[in-house]
Short mmCIF file of all heavy atoms in Angstrom, two decimals:
data_model
loop_
_atom_site.label_atom_id
_atom_site.label_comp_id
_atom_site.label_asym_id
_atom_site.label_seq_id
_atom_site.Cartn_x
_atom_site.Cartn_y
_atom_site.Cartn_z
N MET A 150 89.48 127.13 102.09
CA MET A 150 88.90 127.85 101.10
C MET A 150 88.98 129.40 101.38
O MET A 150 89.03 130.20 100.45
CB MET A 150 87.38 127.47 100.97
CG MET A 150 86.95 127.76 99.58
SD MET A 150 87.98 126.78 98.37
CE MET A 150 86.99 126.83 96.99
N GLU A 151 88.92 129.68 102.60
CA GLU A 151 88.93 131.10 103.05
C GLU A 151 90.28 131.78 102.64
O GLU A 151 90.31 133.02 102.27
CB GLU A 151 88.65 131.24 104.47
CG GLU A 151 88.62 132.75 104.96
CD GLU A 151 87.42 133.37 104.56
OE1 GLU A 151 86.30 132.88 104.13
OE2 GLU A 151 87.45 134.63 104.30
N PHE A 152 91.30 130.91 102.61
CA PHE A 152 92.73 131.40 102.36
C PHE A 152 92.72 131.80 100.90
O PHE A 152 93.29 132.90 100.53
CB PHE A 152 93.74 130.25 102.59
CG PHE A 152 95.04 130.70 102.06
CD1 PHE A 152 95.92 131.65 102.68
CD2 PHE A 152 95.51 130.10 100.94
CE1 PHE A 152 97.03 132.01 102.16
CE2 PHE A 152 96.72 130.41 100.36
CZ PHE A 152 97.49 131.32 100.88
N PHE A 153 92.09 131.00 100.01
CA PHE A 153 92.17 131.32 98.58
C PHE A 153 91.42 132.71 98.34
O PHE A 153 91.87 133.53 97.49
CB PHE A 153 91.63 130.24 97.78
CG PHE A 153 92.37 128.96 97.91
CD1 PHE A 153 92.05 127.87 98.47
CD2 PHE A 153 93.82 129.08 97.36
CE1 PHE A 153 92.84 126.77 98.62
CE2 PHE A 153 94.53 127.89 97.40
CZ PHE A 153 94.17 126.76 98.09
N LYS A 154 90.24 132.84 98.82
CA LYS A 154 89.49 134.06 98.70
C LYS A 154 90.30 135.26 99.24
O LYS A 154 90.29 136.30 98.59
CB LYS A 154 88.20 134.01 99.62
CG LYS A 154 87.18 133.06 99.04
CD LYS A 154 85.93 133.00 99.87
CE LYS A 154 85.00 131.99 99.37
NZ LYS A 154 83.81 131.92 100.18
N GLU A 155 90.89 135.20 100.38
CA GLU A 155 91.66 136.23 100.94
C GLU A 155 92.85 136.57 100.06
O GLU A 155 93.22 137.62 99.90
CB GLU A 155 92.06 135.84 102.39
CG GLU A 155 92.62 137.15 103.10
CD GLU A 155 92.91 136.88 104.57
OE1 GLU A 155 92.07 136.00 105.18
OE2 GLU A 155 93.85 137.33 105.11
N PHE A 156 93.58 135.44 99.63
CA PHE A 156 94.61 135.62 98.78
C PHE A 156 94.39 136.35 97.42
O PHE A 156 94.97 137.26 96.96
CB PHE A 156 95.34 134.29 98.45
CG PHE A 156 96.58 134.32 97.65
CD1 PHE A 156 97.69 134.95 98.13
CD2 PHE A 156 96.63 133.87 96.40
CE1 PHE A 156 98.83 134.96 97.48
CE2 PHE A 156 97.81 133.90 95.62
CZ PHE A 156 98.99 134.37 96.19
N THR A 157 93.10 135.96 96.83
CA THR A 157 92.72 136.70 95.56
C THR A 157 92.42 138.06 95.79
O THR A 157 92.78 138.89 94.97
CB THR A 157 91.42 135.89 95.09
OG1 THR A 157 91.67 134.53 94.93
CG2 THR A 157 90.98 136.47 93.80
N LYS A 158 91.77 138.39 96.94
CA LYS A 158 91.47 139.84 97.30
C LYS A 158 92.73 140.61 97.39
O LYS A 158 92.84 141.74 96.96
CB LYS A 158 90.64 139.92 98.47
CG LYS A 158 89.26 139.43 98.47
CD LYS A 158 88.45 139.57 99.68
CE LYS A 158 87.00 139.06 99.59
NZ LYS A 158 86.23 139.03 100.85
N PHE A 159 93.70 139.98 98.05
CA PHE A 159 95.02 140.71 98.27
C PHE A 159 95.73 140.96 96.87
O PHE A 159 96.12 142.13 96.86
CB PHE A 159 95.95 139.81 99.16
CG PHE A 159 97.45 140.15 99.10
CD1 PHE A 159 97.73 141.21 99.95
CD2 PHE A 159 98.33 139.56 98.37
CE1 PHE A 159 99.04 141.77 99.95
CE2 PHE A 159 99.63 139.96 98.42
CZ PHE A 159 100.10 141.06 99.18
N LEU A 160 95.74 140.01 96.01
CA LEU A 160 96.35 140.18 94.76
C LEU A 160 95.69 141.16 93.98
O LEU A 160 96.35 142.06 93.29
CB LEU A 160 96.38 138.89 94.00
CG LEU A 160 97.27 137.79 94.53
CD1 LEU A 160 97.18 136.50 93.68
CD2 LEU A 160 98.77 138.22 94.45
N LEU A 161 94.32 141.30 93.97
CA LEU A 161 93.71 142.31 93.25
C LEU A 161 93.78 143.66 93.95
O LEU A 161 93.87 144.59 93.19
CB LEU A 161 92.23 141.88 93.12
CG LEU A 161 91.76 140.61 92.28
CD1 LEU A 161 90.37 140.21 92.33
CD2 LEU A 161 92.32 140.81 90.82
N ARG A 162 93.71 143.73 95.11
CA ARG A 162 93.72 144.94 95.79
C ARG A 162 95.09 145.76 95.74
O ARG A 162 95.18 146.87 95.45
CB ARG A 162 93.38 144.89 97.35
CG ARG A 162 93.03 146.12 97.97
CD ARG A 162 92.54 145.93 99.38
NE ARG A 162 91.55 144.81 99.54
CZ ARG A 162 91.63 143.92 100.35
NH1 ARG A 162 92.60 143.71 101.26
NH2 ARG A 162 90.57 143.01 100.42
N ARG A 163 96.14 144.89 95.84
CA ARG A 163 97.47 145.35 95.74
C ARG A 163 98.10 145.38 94.42
O ARG A 163 99.33 145.82 94.19
CB ARG A 163 98.51 144.52 96.61
CG ARG A 163 97.92 144.39 97.99
CD ARG A 163 98.44 145.56 98.79
NE ARG A 163 98.13 145.38 100.31
CZ ARG A 163 98.08 146.32 101.21
NH1 ARG A 163 98.35 147.51 100.86
NH2 ARG A 163 97.79 146.05 102.40
N LYS A 164 97.34 144.90 93.37
CA LYS A 164 97.79 144.90 91.99
C LYS A 164 98.98 144.07 91.78
O LYS A 164 99.99 144.51 91.11
CB LYS A 164 97.93 146.33 91.43
CG LYS A 164 96.60 146.95 91.40
CD LYS A 164 96.76 148.30 90.81
CE LYS A 164 95.39 148.98 90.57
NZ LYS A 164 94.80 149.63 91.68
N LYS A 165 99.06 142.97 92.57
CA LYS A 165 100.33 142.04 92.34
C LYS A 165 100.02 140.98 91.17
O LYS A 165 99.97 139.87 91.38
CB LYS A 165 100.44 141.27 93.60
CG LYS A 165 100.74 142.12 94.79
CD LYS A 165 102.12 142.84 94.70
CE LYS A 165 102.39 143.56 96.03
NZ LYS A 165 103.45 144.33 96.09
N TYR A 166 99.87 141.52 89.97
CA TYR A 166 99.52 140.62 88.86
C TYR A 166 100.65 139.78 88.42
O TYR A 166 100.38 138.66 87.82
CB TYR A 166 99.08 141.59 87.58
CG TYR A 166 97.86 142.36 87.93
CD1 TYR A 166 98.01 143.74 87.83
CD2 TYR A 166 96.62 141.91 88.37
CE1 TYR A 166 96.81 144.61 88.07
CE2 TYR A 166 95.59 142.63 88.68
CZ TYR A 166 95.68 144.01 88.47
OH TYR A 166 94.61 144.87 88.81
N TRP A 167 101.78 140.11 88.71
CA TRP A 167 102.91 139.20 88.34
C TRP A 167 102.94 137.94 89.25
O TRP A 167 103.63 137.06 88.85
CB TRP A 167 104.29 140.01 88.54
CG TRP A 167 104.49 140.69 89.86
CD1 TRP A 167 104.00 141.71 90.38
CD2 TRP A 167 105.13 139.97 91.02
NE1 TRP A 167 104.33 142.00 91.71
CE2 TRP A 167 105.03 140.83 92.14
CE3 TRP A 167 105.74 138.76 91.21
CZ2 TRP A 167 105.61 140.60 93.30
CZ3 TRP A 167 106.37 138.50 92.33
CH2 TRP A 167 106.24 139.44 93.44
N ILE A 168 102.22 137.83 90.41
CA ILE A 168 102.29 136.65 91.16
C ILE A 168 101.38 135.57 90.67
O ILE A 168 101.64 134.39 90.82
CB ILE A 168 101.89 137.01 92.67
CG1 ILE A 168 102.91 138.04 93.17
CG2 ILE A 168 101.65 135.83 93.37
CD1 ILE A 168 102.55 138.37 94.58
N TRP A 169 100.34 135.95 89.73
CA TRP A 169 99.52 135.01 89.30
C TRP A 169 100.19 133.91 88.40
O TRP A 169 99.82 132.71 88.61
CB TRP A 169 98.33 135.71 88.39
CG TRP A 169 97.24 136.36 89.16
CD1 TRP A 169 97.10 137.64 89.34
CD2 TRP A 169 96.23 135.74 89.98
NE1 TRP A 169 96.00 137.86 90.11
CE2 TRP A 169 95.44 136.74 90.46
CE3 TRP A 169 95.89 134.48 90.12
CZ2 TRP A 169 94.47 136.48 91.23
CZ3 TRP A 169 94.82 134.13 90.97
CH2 TRP A 169 94.11 135.09 91.52
N PRO A 170 100.94 134.20 87.44
CA PRO A 170 101.62 133.09 86.78
C PRO A 170 102.47 132.24 87.56
O PRO A 170 102.39 130.97 87.42
CB PRO A 170 102.53 133.75 85.82
CG PRO A 170 101.99 135.19 85.63
CD PRO A 170 101.37 135.46 86.98
N MET A 171 103.14 132.70 88.56
CA MET A 171 103.91 131.85 89.46
C MET A 171 102.98 130.91 90.34
O MET A 171 103.37 129.59 90.47
CB MET A 171 104.68 132.74 90.46
CG MET A 171 105.79 133.37 89.74
SD MET A 171 107.12 134.31 90.66
CE MET A 171 106.18 135.32 91.88
N THR A 172 101.85 131.46 90.79
CA THR A 172 101.03 130.64 91.59
C THR A 172 100.39 129.57 90.67
O THR A 172 100.22 128.50 91.11
CB THR A 172 99.81 131.45 92.13
OG1 THR A 172 100.58 132.69 92.92
CG2 THR A 172 98.97 130.90 93.03
N PHE A 173 99.99 129.92 89.56
CA PHE A 173 99.43 128.97 88.61
C PHE A 173 100.30 127.75 88.30
O PHE A 173 99.96 126.66 88.39
CB PHE A 173 98.89 129.77 87.40
CG PHE A 173 98.22 128.88 86.37
CD1 PHE A 173 96.93 128.36 86.63
CD2 PHE A 173 98.71 128.50 85.27
CE1 PHE A 173 96.31 127.56 85.62
CE2 PHE A 173 98.13 127.75 84.30
CZ PHE A 173 96.85 127.18 84.56
N VAL A 174 101.46 128.11 87.91
CA VAL A 174 102.51 127.12 87.59
C VAL A 174 102.81 126.24 88.75
O VAL A 174 102.85 124.88 88.59
CB VAL A 174 103.87 127.72 86.99
CG1 VAL A 174 104.93 126.76 86.87
CG2 VAL A 174 103.45 128.39 85.74
N THR A 175 102.82 126.80 89.89
CA THR A 175 103.20 126.02 91.16
C THR A 175 102.12 124.95 91.44
O THR A 175 102.22 123.83 91.76
CB THR A 175 103.31 126.89 92.35
OG1 THR A 175 104.52 127.85 92.07
CG2 THR A 175 103.70 126.16 93.65
N VAL A 176 100.77 125.51 91.36
CA VAL A 176 99.71 124.59 91.57
C VAL A 176 99.71 123.53 90.50
O VAL A 176 99.30 122.34 90.80
CB VAL A 176 98.34 125.48 91.54
CG1 VAL A 176 97.11 124.62 91.51
CG2 VAL A 176 98.37 126.39 92.70
N ILE A 177 99.93 123.85 89.29
CA ILE A 177 99.81 122.75 88.21
C ILE A 177 100.85 121.71 88.45
O ILE A 177 100.55 120.60 88.31
CB ILE A 177 99.99 123.46 86.81
CG1 ILE A 177 98.86 124.32 86.51
CG2 ILE A 177 100.11 122.50 85.64
CD1 ILE A 177 97.53 123.64 86.32
N ILE A 178 102.07 122.20 88.77
CA ILE A 178 103.18 121.16 88.96
C ILE A 178 102.93 120.41 90.27
O ILE A 178 103.19 119.12 90.23
CB ILE A 178 104.65 121.90 89.14
CG1 ILE A 178 104.90 122.49 87.79
CG2 ILE A 178 105.64 120.97 89.65
CD1 ILE A 178 106.24 123.28 87.75
N GLY A 179 102.37 121.02 91.19
CA GLY A 179 102.11 120.26 92.41
C GLY A 179 100.96 119.18 92.21
O GLY A 179 100.97 118.11 92.63
N GLY A 180 100.05 119.53 91.37
CA GLY A 180 98.90 118.59 90.99
C GLY A 180 99.35 117.58 90.25
O GLY A 180 99.01 116.45 90.43
N ILE A 181 100.35 117.78 89.32
CA ILE A 181 100.84 116.72 88.48
C ILE A 181 101.64 115.76 89.31
O ILE A 181 101.53 114.53 89.11
CB ILE A 181 101.80 117.21 87.36
CG1 ILE A 181 100.87 117.95 86.32
CG2 ILE A 181 102.64 116.16 86.71
CD1 ILE A 181 101.70 118.74 85.32
N LEU A 182 102.49 116.23 90.29
CA LEU A 182 103.25 115.42 91.27
C LEU A 182 102.29 114.57 92.12
O LEU A 182 102.60 113.37 92.35
CB LEU A 182 104.17 116.23 91.99
CG LEU A 182 105.38 116.83 91.20
CD1 LEU A 182 106.12 117.65 92.22
CD2 LEU A 182 106.23 115.74 90.68
N VAL A 183 101.25 115.17 92.55
CA VAL A 183 100.41 114.37 93.46
C VAL A 183 99.62 113.20 92.73
O VAL A 183 99.43 112.14 93.15
CB VAL A 183 99.40 115.34 94.14
CG1 VAL A 183 98.19 114.64 94.71
CG2 VAL A 183 99.98 116.17 95.11
N ILE A 184 98.98 113.54 91.50
CA ILE A 184 98.39 112.76 90.63
C ILE A 184 99.20 111.47 90.15
O ILE A 184 98.86 110.35 90.15
CB ILE A 184 97.72 113.45 89.50
CG1 ILE A 184 96.58 114.22 89.88
CG2 ILE A 184 97.13 112.40 88.41
CD1 ILE A 184 95.93 115.21 88.97
N SER A 185 100.50 111.80 89.89
CA SER A 185 101.36 110.80 89.28
C SER A 185 102.13 110.07 90.38
O SER A 185 102.90 109.10 89.90
CB SER A 185 102.30 111.35 88.39
OG SER A 185 103.13 112.25 89.03
N SER A 186 101.94 110.29 91.63
CA SER A 186 102.86 109.74 92.60
C SER A 186 102.60 108.25 92.67
O SER A 186 103.59 107.54 93.18
CB SER A 186 102.69 110.39 93.99
OG SER A 186 101.36 110.18 94.44
N GLY A 187 101.45 107.74 92.53
CA GLY A 187 101.14 106.37 92.56
C GLY A 187 101.09 105.50 91.18
O GLY A 187 100.77 104.48 91.13
N SER A 188 101.60 106.16 90.21
CA SER A 188 101.48 105.53 88.85
C SER A 188 102.93 105.14 88.38
O SER A 188 103.78 105.43 89.07
CB SER A 188 100.93 106.52 87.84
OG SER A 188 101.83 107.56 87.58
N ALA A 189 102.96 104.43 87.23
CA ALA A 189 104.19 104.01 86.76
C ALA A 189 104.99 105.17 86.10
O ALA A 189 106.19 104.90 85.68
CB ALA A 189 103.90 102.89 85.74
N VAL A 190 104.43 106.19 85.96
CA VAL A 190 105.05 107.39 85.30
C VAL A 190 105.89 108.14 86.24
O VAL A 190 106.69 108.96 85.90
CB VAL A 190 104.01 108.28 84.71
CG1 VAL A 190 104.57 109.41 83.86
CG2 VAL A 190 103.12 107.58 83.58
N ALA A 191 105.69 107.89 87.52
CA ALA A 191 106.29 108.76 88.51
C ALA A 191 107.82 108.76 88.62
O ALA A 191 108.36 109.81 88.70
CB ALA A 191 105.92 108.11 89.95
N PRO A 192 108.56 107.73 88.25
CA PRO A 192 110.00 107.79 88.21
C PRO A 192 110.48 108.74 87.11
O PRO A 192 111.54 109.44 87.20
CB PRO A 192 110.42 106.38 87.84
CG PRO A 192 109.33 105.43 88.27
CD PRO A 192 108.11 106.28 88.24
N PHE A 193 109.79 108.77 86.04
CA PHE A 193 110.15 109.81 84.83
C PHE A 193 109.79 111.10 85.25
O PHE A 193 110.55 111.99 84.96
CB PHE A 193 109.31 109.26 83.64
CG PHE A 193 109.60 107.85 83.23
CD1 PHE A 193 108.62 106.93 83.29
CD2 PHE A 193 110.88 107.65 82.71
CE1 PHE A 193 108.94 105.60 82.89
CE2 PHE A 193 111.14 106.21 82.38
CZ PHE A 193 110.17 105.26 82.38
N ILE A 194 108.73 111.39 86.03
CA ILE A 194 108.45 112.70 86.43
C ILE A 194 109.39 113.36 87.39
O ILE A 194 109.92 114.43 87.31
CB ILE A 194 106.93 112.92 86.88
CG1 ILE A 194 105.97 112.71 85.52
CG2 ILE A 194 106.68 114.20 87.58
CD1 ILE A 194 104.57 112.85 85.94
N TYR A 195 109.81 112.33 88.39
CA TYR A 195 110.65 112.81 89.32
C TYR A 195 112.12 113.06 88.80
O TYR A 195 112.95 113.84 89.23
CB TYR A 195 110.71 111.89 90.49
CG TYR A 195 109.46 111.86 91.42
CD1 TYR A 195 108.76 110.67 91.46
CD2 TYR A 195 109.23 112.98 91.98
CE1 TYR A 195 107.54 110.84 92.25
CE2 TYR A 195 108.03 113.13 92.65
CZ TYR A 195 107.27 111.87 92.90
OH TYR A 195 106.08 112.04 93.67
N ALA A 196 112.33 112.38 87.59
CA ALA A 196 113.80 112.55 87.04
C ALA A 196 113.83 113.95 86.37
O ALA A 196 114.83 114.48 86.17
CB ALA A 196 113.97 111.43 85.98
N ILE A 197 112.60 114.52 86.00
CA ILE A 197 112.64 115.74 85.34
C ILE A 197 113.09 116.84 86.26
O ILE A 197 113.80 117.83 85.89
CB ILE A 197 111.33 116.10 84.79
CG1 ILE A 197 110.90 115.20 83.63
CG2 ILE A 197 111.21 117.71 84.32
CD1 ILE A 197 109.49 115.40 83.15
N PHE A 198 112.54 116.68 87.61
CA PHE A 198 112.98 117.69 88.64
C PHE A 198 114.09 117.24 89.38
O PHE A 198 114.72 117.94 90.27
CB PHE A 198 111.73 117.95 89.58
CG PHE A 198 110.58 118.30 88.77
CD1 PHE A 198 109.52 117.53 88.53
CD2 PHE A 198 110.48 119.70 88.31
CE1 PHE A 198 108.38 117.96 87.86
CE2 PHE A 198 109.38 120.06 87.64
CZ PHE A 198 108.23 119.29 87.46
#
């Protein structure tokens, strides 16, 4: 959890606002892959990538 706090402070302090969308999309895609890895939908999601 400390990493996320430090990362947020870094982004705000250095004004790296363009990194936020990339981070958000990466976390969302990672979450979808983790959640769907055990389901019947997994072969279809892996085919997209």
Side-chain angles (χ1 to χ4, degrees):
M150 206 56 166
E151 185 67 29
F152 170 76
F153 295 113
K154 290 179 185 176
E155 191 172 331
F156 185 65
T157 304
K158 287 179 185 177
F159 168 78
L160 291 177
L161 293 174
R162 195 175 310 131
R163 304 280 186 190
K164 295 185 171 78
K165 302 285 186 187
Y166 301 121
W167 56 272
I168 296 177
W169 281 109
M171 291 190 304
T172 305
F173 182 72
V174 168
T175 303
V176 168
I177 294 297
I178 290 174
I181 289 172
L182 290 176
V183 166
I184 290 172
S185 69
S186 66
S188 70
V190 184
F193 301 110
I194 291 186
Y195 288 122
I197 293 173
F198 299 106

